[in-house]
Amino acid sequence: MILFYIPCPDKNSAQSIARTLLEEKLVGCANIIPGMESMYWWEGKLETSSEHILILKALNTPDAQSRITKRVEELHPYEVPCVMTLPVLGINPAFKNWLEESQR
């Protein structure tokens, strides 16, 4: 399994990305966490914004990271979106089976 951490500007954009990737069977599950405050440099200025975090769960196939990252970049409203991939060290067998079935 592989996890993706993707900050989004609002709930609608997070839902739209999640729905598209689920419909395309690129991921098996998506979680949206509201209310994160982000601070970052953008175009020489320190910025602060409220964001929603999109967490995606997918099977770790040979091309999963590149395919999902590319698709998120196409769908995301940010000019430079953060698409961070996190490896999963373990997963319970029942959830793994469910995830495999979800992406077929």
Side-chain angles (χ1 to χ4, degrees), residues 56-90:
L56 303 173
K57 300 169 191 166
L59 295 173
N60 193 7
T61 60
D63 63 343
Q65 183 175 354
S66 60
R67 288 180 62 214
I68 294 167
T69 298
K70 182 179 186 299
R71 194 66 177 114
V72 170
E73 289 174 337
E74 292 168 354
L75 298 167
H76 205 288
Y78 286 168
E79 186 178 331
V80 183
C82 169
V83 184
M84 191 178 298
T85 308
L86 307 166
V88 175
L89 300 178

Side-chain angles (χ1 to χ4, degrees), residues 86-104:
L86 307 166
V88 175
L89 300 178
I91 182 173
N92 61 310
F95 188 84
K96 181 178 183 282
N97 290 339
W98 172 82
L99 189 62
E100 289 171 343
E101 290 295 321
S102 297
Q103 287 188 247
R104 288 193 183 147

